[in-house]
Amino acid sequence: SFTEDGIDSVGGATALFHFFKQEGGTHFFYTLSIPLIIAYAISIGSALILPNIHDLRFFAHLQVDFDVVLITGIIWLTGDFTSPFPFLYNLAVMNGAILLFYRGAFFTAGFSSLCYVALLTWTSAFHYGSSIPASWSLLMPAVLNIGSFFAIAGLGGFLASKLSDTERLLKEKHTDYLDLEALKETLLQGR
């Protein structure tokens, strides 16, 4: 399941955050374990219902959206503006490109941007008393991150569509090859 990428991200973020932040209490462990347990439950549930789903495109959208929400939670847990994990949105955008091509990649980039801006606006209002970050040093990384979401969406969508075209051509060539082999066998039998 594609949620495994998100689960690995949560586990890695939890480990790194715990390593760098000296909390030490069991409450901290339980707080970070809740998202991980929820992610595993969703992954198990999706593995159980995946064989019964006929519209895989819709399921792919749900999966990528869940990854974006999960990444937003990781960023919130690991420091909002100072979190080192906004790059994880790029992985979700690449998943969107692989699964859903251009449209999915740009949809994921847009949804990632909305989630990231909403998180930063909410935490800015909570920490700084305003909806605008305290300085350019906090705003510029956010702008650069959002720009990277759309740059990766464009490149990922392009590469995914080229890969799809190449796969289609290979299937056509394989069909042509099989037809040629059948013709050769017919000619050899007709001697």
Side-chain angles (χ1 to χ4, degrees):
S1 153
F2 302 108
T3 308
E4 290 173 10
D5 295 338
I7 291 170
D8 292 340
S9 299
V10 170
T14 302
L16 282 174
F17 187 60
H18 185 64
F19 179 76
F20 289 117
K21 189 171 181 176
Q22 301 295 324
E23 289 287 332
T26 57
H27 176 69
F28 179 73
F29 173 74
Y30 290 122
T31 303
L32 288 177
S33 296
I34 292 171
L36 187 61
I37 291 168
I38 291 170
Y40 273 119
I42 291 172
S43 180
I44 291 168
S46 67
L48 292 174
I49 63 171
L50 185 61
N52 300 325
I53 294 177
H54 299 291
D55 186 10
L56 291 178
R57 188 170 189 81
F58 177 73
F59 183 76
H61 274 287
L62 286 178
Q63 205 61 55
V64 171
D65 291 346
F66 174 73
D67 287 345
V68 169
V69 170
L70 189 64
I71 291 165
T72 303
I74 291 169
I75 293 169
W76 176 66
L77 286 173
T78 58
D80 307 324
F81 284 104
T82 59
S83 174
F85 298 111
F87 75 90
L88 293 174
Y89 284 121
N90 292 330
L91 299 177
V93 171
M94 285 189 281
N95 272 344
I98 291 167
L99 297 173
L100 304 162
F101 302 108
Y102 271 116
R103 186 176 287 176
F106 280 103
F107 174 81
T108 307
F111 185 55
S112 297
S113 299
L114 288 174
C115 288
Y116 189 52
V117 167
L119 175 68
L120 295 181
T121 302
W122 179 75
T123 57
S124 177
F126 182 74
H127 292 295
Y128 302 109
S130 70
S131 61
I132 299 173
S135 69
W136 279 103
S137 65
L138 296 176
L139 185 61
M140 281 310 293
V143 170
L144 292 174
N145 282 326
I146 291 171
S148 75
F149 303 162
F150 288 98
I152 287 177
L155 293 172
F158 174 76
L159 291 174
S161 69
K162 287 296 181 187
L163 181 63
S164 176
D165 291 345
T166 303
E167 264 183 26
R168 184 182 44 78
L169 286 173
L170 281 172
K171 284 180 184 176
E172 288 174 6
K173 294 297 180 190
H174 184 69
T175 303
D176 291 345
Y177 173 76
L178 292 177
D179 290 344
L180 187 60
E181 281 294 315
L183 180 63
K184 181 179 114 179
E185 286 296 320
T186 304
L187 288 173
L188 287 175
Q189 289 175 1
R191 277 188 174 183

